[in-house]
Every structure is written in C-alpha cells, then in structure tokens.
Amino acid sequence: MKVVLTTLNAKYIHKNLALRWLYVSRIPEADVELMEFVIKDDLERISDLIASRQPEVIGISVYIWNADLTRKWIAILKRKLPHVRILIGGPEVSYQCEDWLDTGIEAVLRGEGEKTFWQAVRREADIDGLVSRDYVSPVAYARVDLNWLETLESPYWLAMDEEAMAHRYLYLETSRGCPYHCAYCLSSADNRVRMFSEAYVLRQLAPLAERTVKQVKFLDRTYNVMPERALRIARFIETLPPSINFQFEVVADTISEAMLDFFEQEADPARYRFEIGVQSLNSKTLEAVDRRQDNQRLLEVTSRLLKRGYICHLDLIAGLPYEDRASFEQSYNGLFAVCPSELQVGILKLLKGTAMIARAPGWGMEFEAQTPYTVTKTAWLSEADLAEVECVHLATEKLLNSGRCRACLQSVFAEHPQLSAYALMAQAGARLQALPHPYQLKDLYELLIEVLTPLLGESEAQARVNTDYLMQSAHRQKPLAIRHLSAEERKEIRRNLVQRMDFDEQQVYNYTQIDVGWQAGGIQIQIVLAVPGQPVRRIWLSEEEQQEWIKS
C-alpha cells in the first residue's frame, strides 16, 4: 500500500516533525514516502509529483498558515487522483472540523495521530479522534503514550534528512501539552503535560556532537515547566559544539534562581535564544484571559538574561480584553525599556478550539472569518487603533528587530524616558507604509531622522541615526545629511590611524568611514573600520583628540 505523507511548510528551512512521527510509527504493509513542500510552490506541479507516486492514501498536515491553500490543494489532488483516500490532521483541523468533510477528504484525525492515522489507513473501527461523514469519535482529541513513542526509530535523525541537516531547523520536543490555561492559546486545550523521559531526550541530543545542525528549536510550550530537569538538559547542551544555537520557549517569571544562576554564570550566551511570551503587562487583561504572570519578576529575569548577552524575543498581543490603546502603549513601552533583542507585536487571532471563541461576543470582538482569524475590532480597540498597531509592528520589524536602528532607538529612549517608543513607532510605521516600493536601505534611516528631529533636534537626530547607518556596510558610503568633515580633515585622521595606532595603511584607506556620530550623550567624530571578513571596529575621537588629530 503506497502512502504519501505531505504538507505545505511556511519555508524550506522548516521541517514537519508531526509527519516524521507518522513515518516512524508506520505499519508494516505501508510503503511510506514523506514529501514536504512550501506554501510558495505551485499546487499543480506538486500535485503532479505526488500523483506520479500513485498513492492509495495521502496524509496531509494542516496548520493556520497553510489551511486555505490546502483546501485548494485537496481539490487538485482529487481531480488528478479521483480514487485516492485523503486523511488530514493538525491543529487547524482538530477543532470545528466538520466543514473540511466537504472538501473531498475521507476523514479528519483530531489530536496526536501516531496510532490513529494508521488505524484509519487500515479502516479500523472506533478510532479515537476520527471524524468522517459516517462517524464522529466520542474521544475529541487522541493522545499517545510517550513511552511507546520512545521505542520507535528516532524522527530526528532520519536518513532522508541527512543531506539538508545543516540548512534546516531541527525541531525537538521533550514534552507535550501545556500547564497553563491562557484563553487565547490553542495549547490550553491540551493542558495535561506529559514528558518524554530525560534519558530519551539526551539520546536525541547526543548526535548533535557529530552533526552540522545550526539551530535546534524546542517545541515545548514551556521548557522550564520542570526546573531541575530543564537545568540538567541545559547542562548537557553545554557539552555540545558551540556553533549550535538552541531556542527555548520559557515562562520567564517562573525561571528558578538555580537555572538563572546557571545562565548568568556558567552557560555560553551564544548558544541560546529565549522566546518569552509576555502578551500584556495589564493585570486585568491577564486575569481575564486566565494568564498568571508576575510582571515585575518577568522584567527582572529578562533584563538579567539580556545583560548577560542572551537573545531574548518578547511577544505582545494587541486585541486582548480590557487593553485599550493607552494600555497597549504602556505594555509596549514597558517591554521596549528592557531593550529586548526582538519585540514581536501581533494582533490577536481567535483560533478554533480556544476558550476565547466563546467569550469573544461579550468582549465586542469581531474577527476575520478566514485564516488567520485576526481580530478587527474589540470593545476597547477600534479598527483605527488596530491599524495603528500594524504600523507599530512594521516599524518594530524594520527598525528594531532587524538590528538596523536598534542601538540608536534604545539609546534615545533610555536617555529620554519621557518619550513614548510606541508613539514614535506608530509614526515611523505609517511613513514606512507610504514609502514607494522598492525602497532603499538609506530611505529607512532618512525616515527615522525625520521622525526623531521634532523630538531631539535635527543635528542630534542626524548624528544618532548616522551612527547606526555607517555600521550597515563593509564599504565606505556617503553618510546621511549632517555636518560633513572636509577631505583634508579625513586625510589627517587616516594618517593618525596609521602612524599613532599602527593600523594597516591599505585597510585604513580602503575600508574606513569617518564622519559625525552620536556617542556618550554628544556629537563626536566616529571612525568605522569595516574590513571584509573581520569584526567591525568603531573608534570615537574625544574633543581633545579631535583638536590633536586634525590640524587647523
């Protein structure tokens, strides 16, 4: 029996772990092939590829980002393979799945499918979680025994993945379920946490010592749900090659002091990336969505991790109950003030299967009928307010999360705490939306100067932004509009770099950019030496050095 397991990933770099679990749990009589595609692929072409395998059964993994395309894809597959049996599963179809039965599929498998999928392939009766035209299982969500999964071939180190291992993420799960009950989150529907054994987890990590994997992403909803276990796993990670980065989703306010001491004093910050879901700093909002969070502790832990040099990605959600524009602005500014590596701003999505669906009418929530079910209005936020949030999101991505203007922005608001980062990002985002495409990198910096000028004055705004701008290229470039140094002044500075600081003369003349920037609260001369293949060096000249180095 030929079976094809397939999906549409968001990007090539992603791998579908659910399909790999189905692959390693396959039944003896099945000839199984895993065929992954991405959402940008042509549906006709990939359907022809699948049809060429002449499968009797196709299993498709469905998520919020591929649901609409999957509906179209199923129609194409049924046209090319009229008699093929199609079984679907995944978080997007595990709740309110009846409308999928009209797409031409045989059945929906709700929950974990390592056993139920193959029971459906065999056409067994009374399958947990299965929904078809003729049968609806009384078990709404199937679960499997993790001890049994541990006896199977590892889904992480399959031969089919070896060739691309260095170019794709390695997704790893050490647990399933979530201990929390956040009303907006699909994970709250499965709040019985089950853990893979620690020995099993370490066995899956051990091969990394001999592989070229660059990024390992833990799928655990809360990596630190069992602090001592999480700490032991982290200690094992420290024995692995330092070139591998590990991403954890953590609840920052519950990180134990023992684990925090480890990350502050022993661990290598270059190894780790922390995803910290904050969502809001409004206590009433958090209570309304059943989220328990100690904001003061969360900000303290995050600041300590950032100070040590870890990448910390913080999340905010606009559209939650009791959070109006002023409240969301406070939440944004509160997180901006800790200088996160990345600050993600999203708008609430009312996902099927979450408690928010039932509560939404009472909170005046309106949302899109199609994926991704984004909220368009609440009792506290108008459509215009949410449009402003979109502007803040755009500016945050382009100016802060990209790293292009992070140093400039964070220093401005650290030195001027009375200013609102949210208000500035809303203004910058609106201007970004209006930029004609394609625009140049220089346009972003000039736009930021325009936004900062009314707050700081033209000279300071230009100097601060120019400081970041000149770091973006390894080649000399013309600085943004600002008081320029003369050619003779630059010549004198370069001569001093060679004579006084013993710099390589050829590199100085080929790769130095000398102009005005912002340092230590004032406008100074900055020298950026960006030699290809070497770390970028930045040197500042004090007022005394400027007088000494530049002849009048």
Side-chain angles (χ1 to χ4, degrees):
M1 180 189 304
K2 180 67 177 181
V3 178
V4 169
L5 303 174
T6 190
T7 193
L8 298 171
N9 292 326
K11 298 178 181 179
Y12 168 77
I13 199 171
H14 301 158
K15 284 192 299 192
N16 187 295
L17 181 58
L19 293 184
R20 284 161 175 77
W21 275 118
L22 293 186
Y23 181 82
V24 300
S25 61
R26 62 193 181 276
I27 52 180
E29 63 267 33
D31 172 17
V32 185
E33 184 173 0
L34 197 156
M35 302 177 70
E36 286 180 291
F37 306 102
V38 296
I39 55 177
K40 291 185 177 181
D41 282 331
D42 179 76
L43 296 181
E44 289 283 349
R45 182 186 67 81
I46 63 177
S47 297
D48 285 337
L49 287 174
I50 292 175
S52 70
R53 306 307 201 265
Q54 289 297 304
E56 297 174 52
V57 181
I58 299 175
I60 303 178
S61 189
V62 188
Y63 298 84
I64 193 170
W65 63 80
N66 69 18
D68 292 341
L69 282 173
T70 299
R71 287 179 181 274
K72 298 176 183 178
W73 192 20
I74 289 170
I76 296 171
L77 288 169
K78 290 297 289 185
R79 171 164 48 84
K80 295 179 183 292
L81 297 165
H83 303 295
V84 74
R85 300 168 57 201
I86 298 180
L87 302 170
I88 66 174
E92 177 57 21
V93 297
S94 287
Y95 306 93
Q96 301 177 20
C97 59
E98 290 75 10
D99 59 329
W100 282 87
L101 299 176
D102 296 328
T103 62
I105 66 168
E106 178 178 306
V108 176
L109 292 157
R110 301 172 297 174
E112 299 169 10
E114 288 89 350
K115 284 194 172 181
T116 59
F117 177 82
W118 298 110
Q119 290 172 334
V121 170
R122 284 174 165 166
R123 301 183 190 274
E124 295 181 12
D126 303 325
I127 300 172
D128 286 354
L130 185 139
V131 176
S132 68
R133 294 178 187 83
D134 306 317
Y135 177 78
V136 177
S137 169
V139 177
Y141 191 93
R143 292 179 175 84
V144 299
D145 181 356
L146 301 192
N147 291 326
W148 172 68
L149 291 182
E150 291 186 14
T151 67
L152 304 177
E153 177 187 7
S154 171
Y156 306 108
W157 306 109
L158 296 171
M160 71 177 78
D161 291 325
E162 282 293 331
E163 185 176 350
M165 191 71 72
H167 308 294
R168 307 182 76 183
Y169 295 141
L170 176 65
Y171 291 103
L172 178 72
E173 55 180 351
T174 77
S175 66
R176 290 187 178 180
C178 180
Y180 301 100
H181 302 81
C182 303
Y184 53 82
C185 182
L186 198 56
S187 296
S188 64
D190 182 19
N191 55 26
R192 295 183 348 202
V193 180
R194 295 163 295 145
M195 314 293 290
F196 285 90
S197 71
E198 188 174 330
Y200 178 80
V201 173
L202 297 185
R203 285 202 304 274
Q204 305 317 306
L205 288 170
L208 288 167
E210 301 174 353
R211 298 301 204 282
T212 54
V213 175
K214 296 179 181 178
Q215 178 78 64
V216 178
K217 294 197 173 190
F218 281 65
L219 294 180
D220 305 45
R221 305 313 300 170
T222 308
Y223 170 73
N224 59 310
V225 65
M226 292 181 64
E228 294 181 358
R229 178 179 184 270
L231 180 54
R232 288 192 295 270
I233 292 172
R235 289 190 183 280
F236 182 82
I237 286 173
E238 285 295 304
T239 69
L240 298 171
S243 57
I244 307 173
N245 185 263
F246 294 82
Q247 176 178 302
F248 301 126
E249 187 169 337
V250 298
V251 177
D253 51 307
T254 65
I255 290 181
S256 66
E257 276 299 320
M259 178 174 285
L260 200 53
D261 286 344
F262 166 76
F263 284 121
E264 285 185 308
Q265 300 173 20
E266 301 178 45
D268 176 6
R271 291 180 184 268
Y272 304 97
R273 170 189 169 92
F274 295 100
E275 292 216 2
I276 302 171
V278 182
Q279 320 315 354
S280 174
L281 294 178
N282 184 319
S283 298
K284 188 174 183 180
T285 295
L286 295 171
E287 182 179 358
V289 297
D290 305 323
R291 185 175 178 85
R292 305 292 179 261
Q293 182 170 288
D294 183 337
N295 289 334
Q296 184 176 350
R297 173 65 176 173
L298 183 150
L299 294 175
E300 175 202 344
V301 169
T302 303
S303 295
R304 288 168 65 176
L305 290 171
L306 287 165
K307 183 178 180 180
R308 182 72 174 86
Y310 291 97
I311 295 175
C312 292
H313 171 105
L314 308 185
D315 285 337
L316 273 180
I317 299 178
L320 295 173
Y322 303 107
E323 184 132 71
D324 57 16
R325 184 198 176 282
S327 170
F328 190 73
E329 181 173 8
Q330 289 176 354
S331 291
Y332 182 92
N333 290 343
L335 294 189
F336 196 100
V338 302
C339 299
S341 315
E342 298 171 0
L343 178 52
Q344 180 173 315
V345 179
I347 296 178
L348 177 66
K349 296 171 177 56
L350 286 182
L351 303 178
K352 297 175 182 178
T354 63
M356 289 287 286
I357 289 287
R359 303 179 192 179
W363 288 328
M365 290 183 176
E366 299 177 11
F367 61 100
E368 298 169 344
Q370 302 299 319
T371 56
Y373 316 116
T374 304
V375 166
T376 57
K377 185 180 181 181
T378 76
W380 299 272
L381 289 175
S382 66
E383 293 181 3
D385 292 331
L386 288 170
E388 182 180 73
V389 171
E390 288 284 8
C391 291
V392 173
H393 160 76
L394 177 61
T396 303
E397 289 296 316
K398 296 294 185 182
L399 302 177
L400 182 75
N401 295 344
S402 67
R404 296 185 182 109
C405 304
R406 183 186 298 127
C408 166
L409 289 168
Q410 290 179 342
S411 67
V412 165
F413 291 102
E415 295 174 26
H416 301 276
Q418 78 280 7
L419 300 177
S420 170
Y422 179 90
L424 181 134
M425 288 301 205
Q427 187 180 356
R431 296 195 181 198
L432 277 167
Q433 286 181 340
L435 278 181
H437 286 69
Y439 55 79
Q440 298 179 0
L441 186 61
K442 180 183 176 184
D443 297 329
L444 296 178
Y445 291 93
E446 291 181 338
L447 178 151
L448 185 56
I449 289 175
E450 293 175 9
V451 175
L452 285 173
T453 292
L455 303 176
L456 307 176
E458 186 176 22
S459 294
E460 180 178 342
Q462 290 178 349
R464 285 182 180 272
V465 175
N466 205 49
T467 299
D468 279 0
Y469 175 66
L470 294 179
M471 291 294 290
Q472 293 303 308
S473 175
H475 304 287
R476 284 190 287 176
Q477 53 190 328
K478 183 179 179 181
L480 302 168
I482 199 169
R483 179 182 67 81
H484 297 299
L485 298 172
S486 68
E488 188 61 32
E489 288 174 322
R490 288 194 178 88
K491 181 178 179 181
E492 286 296 312
I493 291 172
R494 290 192 175 97
R495 185 180 61 80
N496 277 281
L497 286 172
V498 174
Q499 293 184 355
R500 299 189 182 203
M501 302 187 72
D502 198 27
F503 277 28
D504 180 89
E505 182 175 4
Q506 195 64 40
Q507 291 182 350
V508 165
Y509 281 89
N510 287 342
Y511 302 113
T512 51
Q513 174 65 57
I514 304 166
D515 222 284
V516 176
W518 185 267
Q519 168 74 358
I523 297 175
Q524 296 186 20
I525 293 176
Q526 67 165 334
I527 304 164
V528 179
L529 180 63
V531 181
Q534 297 182 17
V536 175
R537 298 184 63 179
R538 180 182 288 180
I539 300 167
W540 295 93
L541 296 185
S542 66
E543 291 184 10
E544 293 78 8
E545 288 173 323
Q546 291 178 40
Q547 294 176 4
E548 185 180 354
W549 282 32
I550 304 174
K551 298 177 181 178
S552 57

